Structures are given as C-alpha cells and as structure tokens.
Amino acid sequence: MSEERSLNFIEQIVEEDIANGVNNGRVLTRFPPEPNGYLHIGHAKSIVLNFGLAQKYNGKTNLRFDDTNPVTEDTEYVESIKNDIRWLGFEWAAELYASDYFEQIYQFAITLIKKGLAYVEDATAEEIAKHKGTPTTPGTPTPSRSRSVEENLDLFQRMRNGEFKDGEKTLRAKIDLASPNMHMRDPILYRIKHAHHHRTGDKWCIYPMYDFAHGQSDSIEEITHSICTLEFIPHRPLYDWFIKELEIFPSRQYEFARLNLNYTVMSKRKLKLLVEEGFVKGWDDPRMPTISGLRRRGYTASSIRELCERVGVQKRDHVIEIGLLEFCIREELNKTANRVMAVLDPVKLVITNYPDGLVEELTADNNPEDESAGSRTLHFSKTLYIEREDFMENPTKKYFRLGPGLMVRLKNAYIIKGESVEKDADGNITTIYATYLPESKSGGDTSGLTVKGTIHWVSAEHAAKAEVRLYDRLFTSENPNAEEADFRTFLNPDSLQVIPEAYVEPSLLEAKVGDRFQFLRKGYFSVDPDSTKDKIVFNRTVTLKDTWAKESKKA
RNA sequence: UGCCCGAUAGUAUAAUGGUAGUACGACAGACUCUGACUCUGUUUGUCUUGGUUCGAAUCCAGGUCGGGCAACCA
C-alpha cells in the first residue's frame, strides 16, 4: 500500500537532489526541538518526516536540541524528548545541542562585525520596535547603527565579559531597514541574559537568538535538507543571507504545514499552562495530545506513525479530525488486542432456573481476528453482573438486548430471557431476574433459536474489581484557538470519568502496565502506571464504533 | 492596505497538460455469539474570471478567500 503512495513534495525535492548529485547524493536531516516542553503529536509528524526521509534515502538524522534560551529550558525536557523519539521507533545518528556551537556562533558574529554587517545596539526593545517601522512603512536607523567596526568589536567583547545588564545592549545584523520582509530589518543576533544554562552553566551571559543559531547549526552539521514548519518561510532569506556572508555550508530549508487536530490545542505554551494550572495531571495525562499522554492512554507508536503517513506532507494548512487518529488505533487494536469482558456500570442478574452453587467452565476465544491468540476459561454461575444499559424495562422496537420477555445471548454462554426486576425505594433496578435455556450453551447450541443481541457479563462470585478511567475530548470546541474567549474556557468538564469499581474477568488481575485489551462491546483499554498490587487501573484508549448509540440518539 | 505562503467532496489526500481517484466520515444494506470487525452500495469536490492549448485541477494574468510576518520566543 505504502509502496504505491505517491511522493510528497519534499521527497520529490530529495529525489531530484540525489539525481542531480547535490551533496553527492548525501541526505542528512535533523529533528530540532527546543527542550522547553514535552513532544506532542504535531512533533510526531516532523519526526516521522525527518527520520523517515533519512531511512528512505539511505541517510541519517541528527537529534539537535535548539537550546538557545536558558530561561525556558530544562534537562527534564531533554530526557522526555529522547524517550518519546525512541518510543516512536526512531534512533538518531548524533545527539547534538546548539549550545555546543556557542563559541563558533560567537565567531560568526565577530565575522559579521568585521565585515561591517553587524553592530551593537544601545536601544531598548521598545525603541528597536519603534525604529523597525511597520510592514507598510520602512524602518529608520538608530544612532547605534553607525558605530565603527572597532567600537562594535569592543562592545561585543564587553557584552560577553558581562559588563552590561540584561537588555542593556544587543547585537544586530546590519541588513536593510526598508526590507518588505520584517525579518531582514536588522534582526537581533545576540541578547544579554545572565541566566544559568542547562548545559553551559554560567559560562555565557550572552545567547544567540534562534535565527542566529538554527541555520548556522544546520550548516555546522552540514544538514542537507533542513525541514521546518510554514511559519519559518519568511526567515529563510535571512538564513540564506547568513550562509552567503559567512560562507558556510549551504543547508537548504523546506517548509511543510504543521499537524493540527481538532478538539485539542497543539501549542507547547498552552499545554504547559494546562499542566501548571492543574487542568490535567501532567504532561502525560491521557487526555493530552502529547506523545507521553497518548502512550499512557494506550495509543501505540505504530498507530501514531500511521496517522502521520495518512495525513501526508504538504504546504496547505489543515486540521485533522480526531476521528482519523481514533480510526488508526482501532484498526490496529482490532487485530492485536485480546478480548475480555468487563462490566463498567453493573447491575445484578440472577438466573432463577440455574442450579444454586453450580459453577461451569466455559471457553472463550481471545481474539476472533487472530486465531493464534488462543482461548481462555470463563466461570459461569447463577448470579452475574451485566451492564445496566443492556436492560430496558420498556424496550423500544429496535432494542436487541434484555428486557421483560426479551431474549439475548450471554457471550460465550447461554441464551437467557428476561423475567422480572427488583427495585429500590427510588425506583432504580437492583436485580434482574431471568431464566436460561440449558440447551443453548455456546459451542453446543441445540435450541434452534437465534437471538439478535449478545451481551457481556461477569460472574458475581468470580469477578475482580478494577478502576476504570474513561476519557473524552479535552475541549468542547472543535478549535479552541479560533474562539474569542480564552482557550481554557472550552475545557471539557467531562473529559475524565472515573469508575472506581468496575467488575472484570479475574484474569485481568495479572495484566501488566501498558497491556492492551478490548473490553467486549466497550472499547479498547490499557493498564495505567497508577496500577498497584491491590488495585489495577485501566484507561480507555478509545471506544468501539457504536452505531447503536447513534441510532438511539436519532430516536 | 507592504511582503510571503496557500486554495480539489464534511475532513484529509492523489492526479505533475490527457477518464477527477483514495481514505476517514455520513447514509443505506448484507453478515454477525461484540449494534464491533468484514463486505456491498450511495452521496458530496477542482475558489472565481479571463487567457494559452486539440485538451487545464495542473501553465499564465486579474480577483476572492484563508494563513503567516512588525518577541531581547522558538
């Protein structure tokens, strides 16, 4: 299937470059995160693209941390990023840091100063902004712009020496204050930050801006294809200007549209806010679109890769429906997840004509989609739990489940017929009474009856208890970013529903963290790391498709 | 009213001057010891106006609409 897939525009460029002998056919990409947050599914698209390109064209991919802003960065993020990339199934050729190049980048700045192409600026941020003009009016030079090379050299050295306070001076490129491209209007190259860096410690008090570090880092590593997102298109002329003036390796930048998903947000800043303000329980909260969140939720790396492949690579903005991600994980788990029975909202069912005290052992297939998954033994007895929603006292005409006089199949067991109910003072059903057909046993059914519905159950005496966490979309708005109000006002108050005591097959007590199951008719679930010896916790990864829910909503 | 990028069914994606296809979704049906899976069928699309051409989603020009750019963030 994928071999028939047509080339995306970046693959086309790479193939042309190889055909034309550009860089002797060498392909070296890089994935360049800033260690200031956890990776999300949007990063997965970039990872799959960059690493995938290298794999496909016999190249390599570097992992380079763009750590040029010491105040936002942390080693915790470095570790999580490395962990997430590996989990997604990729390994980098080299682990590198922009901060490794600080001395070299400093020398690049000296080179520009000596060429009369950079100057030390005295103006404040506000003054610089004012002098920059607007997109429709050209900027005007500040007095600093006319400094001599010698003075600039001296001042820049003194910036490095720590003689100035934060914000007191900057180094700017001297390009074109009238450029229609705002990024070419003498952009800032260096700023003063007396801050501790997660790798270089207190060695530096001046740090290069992203624009003066990213492209140069690519050149230093001799990256052939530097792939980034659309918003950096207007930066490209600046990078090309540096390449020309510094006479360094000409990495070429190509831009693609970032991945957006509906009903969530994809900015690290916003995700960080959700974590810090306690709207979620951490970066790996299963409701988060982070790699770690999706992993904990039960998503597989291959399902995330599959989404990235299906979405493709192009230059137009898009918003992917969350349903496509859900399709990807269902498609995989349908083939691989063992089926088990779990009753999430239990009601007691007594089979009045079943012998007291009898326990039968029944056989159940683990996965109808995979014969090699084998089978397991189930215990059946007189008193069971079934799902409350699988009984209706006054059933509608298309209701294929249990009700007074209605027959259903208990999965892997018998056909039963609803007889009567017992209620509490509030009118809630506390017990359902039914009779069973002894000759309808699964595997040896001689009853000749066919029933429309099959429901799941667990034996009351044998059931184990488990905590089950049901997740729904994090936001109520399809695009919280596009709304007028703050994105946090669209948080879904029902995004997490905890069921403290669901009844599950006892075999599940042996499940390990990360194991995935299909709870028959309820969805795919995986074991959460919060599980202990005494209490196992399941996360609902995704529901099964539910045409009945849709049907009943219509009515 | 500057510069840059983009526009194909509801969503996403293909067709690279030669039959507008695919996936997800929706709808209808078949099957079913999961109202799942699987299978079948249906529906809906080239932003607009001109031009080039035997032929345009594709090339050109104007327009419209959407997005980005004026951080000592990346």
Side-chain angles (χ1 to χ4, degrees):
Chain A
M1 203 160 105
S2 63
E3 49 271 23
E4 289 170 27
R5 208 194 82 218
S6 52
L7 264 32
N8 66 50
F9 80 99
I10 293 178
E11 290 171 328
Q12 287 181 26
I13 289 165
V14 171
E15 292 203 356
E16 278 166 33
D17 285 349
I18 292 171
N20 295 331
V22 177
N23 296 313
N24 298 314
R26 186 176 59 91
V27 174
L28 211 214
T29 59
R30 103 268 92 119
F31 175 64
E34 186 193 10
N36 67 345
Y38 280 61
L39 258 26
H40 54 61
I41 191 163
H43 293 109
K45 178 176 176 182
S46 175
I47 290 168
V48 168
L49 211 207
N50 276 297
F51 284 89
L53 223 40
Q55 283 175 354
K56 183 166 182 178
Y57 297 108
N58 198 26
K60 288 178 177 163
T61 305
N62 288 343
L63 169 61
R64 185 183 65 241
F65 291 95
D66 270 338
D67 53 353
T68 56
N69 187 358
V71 302
T72 60
E73 294 153 9
D74 196 280
T75 50
E76 176 200 348
Y77 299 127
V78 170
E79 293 311 312
S80 76
I81 288 168
K82 287 160 63 175
N83 184 40
D84 287 348
I85 297 171
R86 288 205 170 102
W87 179 75
L88 278 172
F90 299 102
E91 189 60 51
W92 46 91
E95 177 184 332
L96 303 165
Y97 295 80
S99 54
D100 293 340
Y101 313 135
F102 278 173
E103 184 60 42
Q104 210 166 342
I105 293 169
Y106 179 82
Q107 294 304 327
F108 288 148
I110 299 285
T111 301
L112 290 182
I113 294 172
K114 284 181 176 166
K115 291 180 78 171
L117 295 174
Y119 59 98
V120 173
E121 175 65 80
D122 296 337
T124 63
E126 300 73 50
E127 287 166 344
I128 291 174
K130 198 157 42 165
H131 278 276
K132 263 199 176 167
T134 70
T136 51
T137 57
T140 52
T142 58
S144 304
R145 199 172 201 260
S146 50
R147 274 203 240 264
S148 69
V149 169
E150 291 67 32
E151 194 184 357
N152 281 320
L153 248 16
D154 175 60
L155 252 15
F156 189 47
Q157 178 62 244
R158 289 168 58 195
M159 281 170 65
R160 178 177 184 169
N161 293 349
E163 294 182 30
F164 305 109
K165 292 196 284 287
D166 286 10
E168 206 174 326
K169 298 210 179 318
T170 56
L171 183 75
R172 298 177 72 182
K174 192 185 219 173
I175 308 178
D176 178 9
L177 286 169
S179 173
N181 181 343
M182 296 302 287
H183 296 277
M184 299 299 274
R185 317 244 272 221
D186 289 14
I188 292 171
L189 269 25
Y190 266 91
R191 77 287 218 195
I192 299 170
K193 276 180 193 283
H194 292 272
H196 188 82
H197 187 279
H198 75 113
R199 298 195 92 233
T200 61
D202 298 313
K203 184 178 177 193
W204 294 87
C205 63
I206 57 172
Y207 293 92
M209 296 290 291
Y210 171 86
D211 274 348
F212 197 58
H214 188 92
Q216 282 81 332
S217 300
D218 285 341
S219 290
I220 290 166
E221 294 171 24
E222 301 201 343
I223 300 298
T224 57
H225 303 264
S226 172
I227 298 161
C228 64
T229 44
L230 256 27
E231 69 268 28
F232 291 104
I233 290 176
H235 298 241
R236 190 181 346 119
L238 178 61
Y239 304 156
D240 289 343
W241 186 86
F242 289 139
I243 285 170
K244 181 181 64 137
E245 299 298 343
L246 261 11
E247 299 177 57
I248 53 179
F249 180 84
S251 297
R252 298 295 303 273
Q253 173 175 296
Y254 302 97
E255 309 87 4
F256 70 97
R258 63 167 1 117
L259 176 70
N260 293 298
L261 273 183
N262 62 10
Y263 293 105
T264 191
V265 294
M266 208 71 91
S267 110
K268 271 196 275 186
R269 204 197 98 244
K270 287 177 181 169
L271 294 175
K272 194 172 182 184
L273 231 43
L274 296 181
V275 173
E276 285 173 349
E277 297 181 359
F279 293 108
V280 295
K281 289 172 185 140
W283 285 96
D284 70 340
D285 187 296
R287 293 166 290 182
M288 293 280 271
T290 50
I291 305 295
S292 49
L294 290 165
R295 175 170 60 234
R296 187 165 177 181
R297 174 93 167 238
Y299 276 84
T300 59
S302 51
S303 68
I304 293 171
R305 278 188 256 117
E306 174 67 15
L307 177 81
C308 294
E309 297 291 349
R310 282 175 176 267
V311 161
V313 180
Q314 61 299 115
K315 296 188 77 159
R316 49 178 179 267
D317 292 318
H318 56 216
V319 182
I320 305 295
E321 291 175 342
I322 190 77
L324 187 61
L325 209 215
E326 295 179 343
F327 169 82
C328 291
I329 189 62
R330 284 191 189 113
E331 183 188 41
E332 175 174 346
L333 260 21
N334 177 50
K335 297 191 196 105
T336 59
N338 280 177
R339 274 62 168 169
V340 293
M341 295 199 282
V343 178
L344 305 185
D345 182 16
V347 61
K348 192 177 283 183
L349 173 81
V350 176
I351 300 169
T352 54
N353 61 337
Y354 195 82
D356 289 336
L358 178 62
V359 175
E360 279 187 89
E361 291 195 345
L362 306 170
T363 303
D365 285 339
N366 285 329
N367 186 349
E369 307 286 325
D370 178 11
E371 226 174 276
S372 71
S375 61
R376 67 192 185 285
T377 299
L378 256 27
H379 296 281
F380 187 84
S381 64
K382 185 183 180 89
T383 305
L384 312 173
Y385 287 111
I386 64 167
E387 216 67 66
R388 191 167 284 276
E389 65 172 13
D390 285 339
F391 180 87
M392 199 181 263
E393 212 177 353
N394 300 296
T396 53
K397 61 253 165 248
K398 278 162 108 184
Y399 188 78
F400 303 143
R401 305 180 192 178
L402 200 58
L406 288 185
M407 291 197 290
V408 285
R409 156 85 54 191
L410 291 172
K411 178 74 178 174
N412 298 119
Y414 297 95
I415 291 173
I416 57 169
K417 182 177 176 189
E419 303 291 351
S420 61
V421 297
E422 203 168 86
K423 295 181 182 177
D424 64 16
D426 299 326
N428 301 310
I429 295 172
T430 52
T431 308
I432 298 164
Y433 294 96
T435 51
Y436 84 120
L437 278 64
E439 69 277 20
S440 66
K441 188 171 176 176
S442 292
D445 187 345
T446 58
S447 70
L449 287 172
T450 53
V451 290
K452 208 68 162 112
T454 300
I455 64 173
H456 60 280
W457 53 274
V458 289
S459 166
E461 180 193 337
H462 303 88
K465 287 177 182 172
E467 177 176 321
V468 177
R469 299 174 182 172
L470 307 179
Y471 300 100
D472 198 357
R473 47 186 59 139
L474 227 200
F475 290 91
T476 54
S477 165
E478 197 171 316
N479 184 357
N481 303 304
E483 305 278 357
E484 301 225 338
D486 184 276
F487 77 104
R488 284 164 290 189
T489 60
F490 299 98
L491 251 356
N492 178 5
D494 303 318
S495 59
L496 169 63
Q497 185 197 342
V498 178
I499 297 173
E501 287 197 342
Y503 291 109
V504 302
E505 290 184 24
S507 63
L508 283 176
L509 256 17
E510 285 147 43
K512 295 185 181 48
V513 170
D515 283 356
R516 300 181 179 87
F517 301 91
Q518 184 194 106
F519 287 2
L520 225 58
R521 304 205 301 136
K522 300 299 330 177
Y524 295 98
F525 292 75
S526 77
V527 181
D528 189 86
D530 281 350
S531 299
T532 63
K533 264 207 303 274
D534 307 316
K535 187 183 76 172
I536 190 160
V537 179
F538 288 96
N539 292 319
R540 184 173 68 195
T541 308
V542 66
T543 60
L544 256 29
K545 258 177 71 176
D546 192 350
T547 49
W548 166 246
K550 224 165 16 188
E551 186 75 24
S552 48
K553 210 181 286 179
K554 271 192 290 189

